[in-house]
Amino acid sequence: MEREFLNIVEAHQGIIFKVCKLYRNSKEDQEDLFQEIVLQLWRAFPKFRKESKVSTWMYRIALNTAIAMFRKHKIEIEFNEYTPKEIYSKQASEQSENEERLFDAIRTLNQAERAIIALFLEDFNYKEIGEITGITENYVGVKINRIKEKLKNILK
Protein backbone atom coordinates (compact mmCIF):
# COMPACT_ATOMS: atom_id res chain seq x y z
CA MET A 1 0.00 0.00 0.00
CA GLU A 2 2.83 2.39 0.86
CA ARG A 3 4.58 1.87 -2.49
CA GLU A 4 1.31 2.38 -4.37
CA PHE A 5 0.70 5.64 -2.50
CA LEU A 6 4.21 6.95 -3.21
CA ASN A 7 3.82 6.07 -6.90
CA ILE A 8 0.53 7.99 -7.05
CA VAL A 9 2.02 11.03 -5.32
CA GLU A 10 5.02 11.00 -7.61
CA ALA A 11 2.90 10.61 -10.74
CA HIS A 12 0.48 13.38 -9.75
CA GLN A 13 2.76 15.72 -7.80
CA GLY A 14 1.90 18.57 -10.16
CA ILE A 15 -1.58 18.69 -8.65
CA ILE A 16 -0.19 19.25 -5.18
CA PHE A 17 2.36 21.74 -6.40
CA LYS A 18 -0.26 23.85 -8.21
CA VAL A 19 -2.56 23.97 -5.22
CA CYS A 20 0.39 25.05 -3.07
CA LYS A 21 1.30 27.82 -5.53
CA LEU A 22 -2.29 29.01 -5.67
CA TYR A 23 -2.89 29.13 -1.93
CA ARG A 24 0.48 30.24 -0.51
CA ASN A 25 2.79 33.10 -1.45
CA SER A 26 6.15 32.21 0.06
CA LYS A 27 8.20 29.18 -0.83
CA GLU A 28 8.33 28.11 2.82
CA ASP A 29 4.56 28.26 3.17
CA GLN A 30 4.17 26.35 -0.10
CA GLU A 31 6.51 23.65 1.16
CA ASP A 32 4.59 23.43 4.45
CA LEU A 33 1.29 23.12 2.59
CA PHE A 34 2.82 20.50 0.28
CA GLN A 35 3.77 18.41 3.32
CA GLU A 36 0.32 18.83 4.89
CA ILE A 37 -1.44 17.81 1.68
CA VAL A 38 0.72 14.69 1.35
CA LEU A 39 -0.04 13.84 4.97
CA GLN A 40 -3.79 14.26 4.43
CA LEU A 41 -3.62 12.18 1.24
CA TRP A 42 -1.82 9.44 3.16
CA ARG A 43 -4.46 9.49 5.88
CA ALA A 44 -7.26 9.32 3.30
CA PHE A 45 -5.60 6.75 1.05
CA PRO A 46 -6.92 3.61 2.80
CA LYS A 47 -10.48 4.88 2.23
CA PHE A 48 -9.94 5.74 -1.45
CA ARG A 49 -12.28 3.36 -3.30
CA LYS A 50 -11.05 4.25 -6.80
CA GLU A 51 -14.58 5.12 -7.91
CA SER A 52 -13.26 8.44 -9.24
CA LYS A 53 -10.02 9.33 -10.98
CA VAL A 54 -6.97 9.61 -8.76
CA SER A 55 -6.53 13.22 -9.87
CA THR A 56 -10.09 14.08 -8.84
CA TRP A 57 -9.56 12.51 -5.41
CA MET A 58 -6.22 14.30 -4.97
CA TYR A 59 -7.61 17.69 -5.98
CA ARG A 60 -10.51 17.36 -3.57
CA ILE A 61 -8.20 16.60 -0.65
CA ALA A 62 -5.56 19.14 -1.67
CA LEU A 63 -8.07 21.97 -2.04
CA ASN A 64 -9.86 21.11 1.19
CA THR A 65 -6.52 20.99 3.02
CA ALA A 66 -5.37 24.33 1.59
CA ILE A 67 -8.62 26.02 2.52
CA ALA A 68 -8.80 24.42 5.97
CA MET A 69 -5.27 25.53 6.81
CA PHE A 70 -6.37 29.16 6.50
CA ARG A 71 -8.70 28.56 9.43
CA LYS A 72 -6.11 26.97 11.71
CA HIS A 73 -4.02 29.17 13.95
CA LYS A 74 -1.27 26.69 14.65
CA ILE A 75 -0.39 23.94 12.24
CA GLU A 76 1.51 20.90 13.43
CA ILE A 77 3.13 18.93 10.68
CA GLU A 78 4.80 15.59 11.17
CA PHE A 79 7.52 15.00 8.64
CA ASN A 80 7.67 11.46 7.34
CA GLU A 81 10.88 10.04 5.98
CA TYR A 82 8.92 8.73 2.99
CA THR A 83 7.72 12.15 1.85
CA PRO A 84 9.45 12.83 -1.47
CA LYS A 85 11.25 16.09 -0.64
CA GLU A 86 13.03 16.41 -3.98
CA ILE A 87 9.73 16.57 -5.82
CA TYR A 88 8.90 20.09 -4.63
CA SER A 89 12.24 21.64 -5.50
CA LYS A 90 12.23 20.08 -8.99
CA GLN A 91 8.82 21.55 -9.80
CA ALA A 92 9.63 24.94 -8.28
CA SER A 93 12.69 25.44 -10.44
CA GLU A 94 10.73 24.91 -13.65
CA GLN A 95 8.42 27.93 -13.25
CA SER A 96 8.62 30.66 -15.86
CA GLU A 97 8.06 34.38 -15.35
CA ASN A 98 4.66 34.23 -17.07
CA GLU A 99 3.57 31.34 -14.87
CA GLU A 100 4.59 33.36 -11.82
CA ARG A 101 2.49 36.31 -13.01
CA LEU A 102 -0.46 33.98 -13.53
CA PHE A 103 -0.06 32.42 -10.08
CA ASP A 104 0.19 35.90 -8.53
CA ALA A 105 -3.03 36.91 -10.30
CA ILE A 106 -4.82 33.72 -9.28
CA ARG A 107 -3.79 34.23 -5.65
CA THR A 108 -5.79 37.48 -5.65
CA LEU A 109 -9.00 35.49 -6.28
CA ASN A 110 -11.10 34.13 -3.44
CA GLN A 111 -10.68 30.52 -2.33
CA ALA A 112 -13.56 29.11 -4.36
CA GLU A 113 -12.43 30.89 -7.52
CA ARG A 114 -8.89 29.59 -7.07
CA ALA A 115 -10.16 26.04 -6.75
CA ILE A 116 -12.30 26.32 -9.88
CA ILE A 117 -9.62 27.90 -12.06
CA ALA A 118 -6.97 25.43 -10.86
CA LEU A 119 -9.17 22.54 -11.96
CA PHE A 120 -9.99 24.28 -15.24
CA LEU A 121 -6.29 24.80 -15.97
CA GLU A 122 -5.75 21.09 -15.36
CA ASP A 123 -8.27 20.33 -18.13
CA PHE A 124 -10.98 18.96 -15.89
CA ASN A 125 -14.36 19.24 -17.60
CA TYR A 126 -17.22 21.24 -16.10
CA LYS A 127 -18.90 18.12 -14.74
CA GLU A 128 -15.73 16.98 -12.93
CA ILE A 129 -15.13 20.48 -11.55
CA GLY A 130 -18.69 20.52 -10.27
CA GLU A 131 -18.24 17.15 -8.58
CA ILE A 132 -15.05 18.27 -6.84
CA THR A 133 -16.30 21.69 -5.77
CA GLY A 134 -19.93 20.78 -5.07
CA ILE A 135 -21.55 23.18 -7.55
CA THR A 136 -23.63 22.48 -10.64
CA GLU A 137 -22.07 22.02 -14.06
CA ASN A 138 -23.86 25.10 -15.39
CA TYR A 139 -22.66 27.25 -12.52
CA VAL A 140 -19.11 26.05 -13.16
CA GLY A 141 -19.35 27.55 -16.66
CA VAL A 142 -20.65 30.84 -15.30
CA LYS A 143 -17.91 30.99 -12.65
CA ILE A 144 -15.14 30.17 -15.14
CA ASN A 145 -16.23 32.97 -17.46
CA ARG A 146 -16.29 35.44 -14.56
CA ILE A 147 -12.90 34.26 -13.31
CA LYS A 148 -11.35 34.58 -16.77
CA GLU A 149 -12.62 38.15 -16.97
CA LYS A 150 -11.19 38.96 -13.55
CA LEU A 151 -7.83 37.49 -14.51
CA LYS A 152 -7.74 39.47 -17.77
CA ASN A 153 -8.28 42.68 -15.81
CA ILE A 154 -5.66 41.78 -13.22
CA LEU A 155 -3.03 40.86 -15.83
CA LYS A 156 -3.49 44.01 -17.93
Side-chain angles (χ1 to χ4, degrees):
M1 181 172 89
E2 187 176 305
R3 176 63 23 216
E4 180 183 5
F5 174 76
L6 289 174
N7 288 339
I8 287 171
V9 169
E10 188 171 343
H12 299 283
Q13 64 187 323
I15 291 170
I16 303 168
F17 179 74
K18 282 187 177 140
V19 170
C20 293
K21 290 286 287 181
L22 292 173
Y23 283 87
R24 295 296 181 275
N25 295 329
S26 74
K27 182 177 179 183
E28 293 79 18
D29 288 344
Q30 291 168 9
E31 290 172 349
D32 288 347
L33 180 56
F34 188 96
Q35 294 291 330
E36 182 65 18
I37 290 170
V38 171
L39 175 64
Q40 295 306 322
L41 287 167
W42 174 247
R43 287 180 176 165
F45 189 65
K47 296 176 189 163
F48 178 50
R49 297 183 306 241
K50 299 178 179 137
E51 293 173 357
S52 63
K53 293 191 299 187
V54 170
S55 58
T56 301
W57 171 76
M58 287 183 75
Y59 258 114
R60 185 179 307 245
I61 291 174
L63 291 169
N64 286 336
T65 302
I67 292 168
M69 282 183 66
F70 275 123
R71 297 183 198 124
K72 292 182 181 179
H73 295 292
K74 185 177 179 186
I75 301 165
E76 293 184 30
I77 300 174
E78 293 179 30
F79 291 94
N80 185 326
E81 66 182 272
Y82 298 110
T83 304
K85 294 177 183 176
E86 70 281 352
I87 291 172
Y88 182 85
S89 61
K90 177 183 169 192
Q91 287 284 331
S93 65
E94 297 173 359
Q95 296 300 305
S96 73
E97 188 176 319
N98 285 335
E99 287 173 320
E100 278 303 314
R101 284 188 64 227
L102 179 60
F103 278 115
D104 288 342
I106 291 172
R107 280 192 291 266
T108 67
L109 302 173
N110 69 42
Q111 293 175 6
E113 291 169 334
R114 284 186 231 173
I116 292 167
I117 200 65
L119 295 168
F120 177 75
L121 292 173
E122 283 294 313
D123 293 325
F124 280 83
N125 64 43
Y126 288 9
K127 182 179 181 195
E128 293 169 324
I129 294 171
E131 289 172 0
I132 294 169
T133 60
I135 60 178
T136 67
E137 189 174 340
N138 287 338
Y139 194 52
V140 168
V142 170
K143 292 293 287 179
I144 287 174
N145 286 330
R146 290 179 184 166
I147 294 166
K148 283 181 182 179
E149 197 58 41
K150 273 187 179 180
L151 289 173
K152 280 183 201 175
N153 290 330
I154 293 168
L155 291 170
K156 283 184 180 179

